[in-house]
Amino acid sequence: MERRNFLKVSSAVLAYAGFFSPSSVLASEKKPLIGFKQIAPSTSDSVIVPEGYEAKKLISWGDPLFSKATPFD
């Protein structure tokens, strides 16, 4: 078997096996995947985070990214 054909066949087998892996079966369970409670949809103009978490501003619009950057107009 040529190297190219081997790579084609092995990648196809891995893709097929990954599709039917146990992780896809476990994802159908109803428990949260990353450990926080779902928040209700909202149309308010604010940041809403799950209970027990907090949101902090990383950077504001117009803040210079570098010390020698020109100010944003």
Side-chain angles (χ1 to χ4, degrees):
M1 178 180 271
E2 292 180 10
R3 180 174 176 230
R4 183 173 297 203
N5 287 337
F6 174 76
L7 291 174
K8 285 181 184 179
V9 170
S10 61
S11 63
V13 168
L14 288 174
Y16 183 78
F19 182 74
F20 291 105
S21 69
S23 62
S24 62
V25 173
L26 295 175
S28 64
E29 294 181 12
K30 295 295 181 185
K31 69 178 190 177
L33 297 177
I34 52 179
F36 57 82
K37 293 181 181 179
Q38 180 179 0
I39 57 174
S42 173
T43 57
S44 68
D45 188 19
S46 62
V47 177
I48 302 172
V49 294
E51 184 180 321
Y53 289 82
E54 63 180 295
K56 292 183 179 181
K57 175 177 63 171
L58 179 63
I59 190 168
S60 293
W61 182 259
D63 286 350
L65 298 178
F66 309 102
S67 60
K68 295 182 180 182
T70 57
F72 183 75
D73 185 13

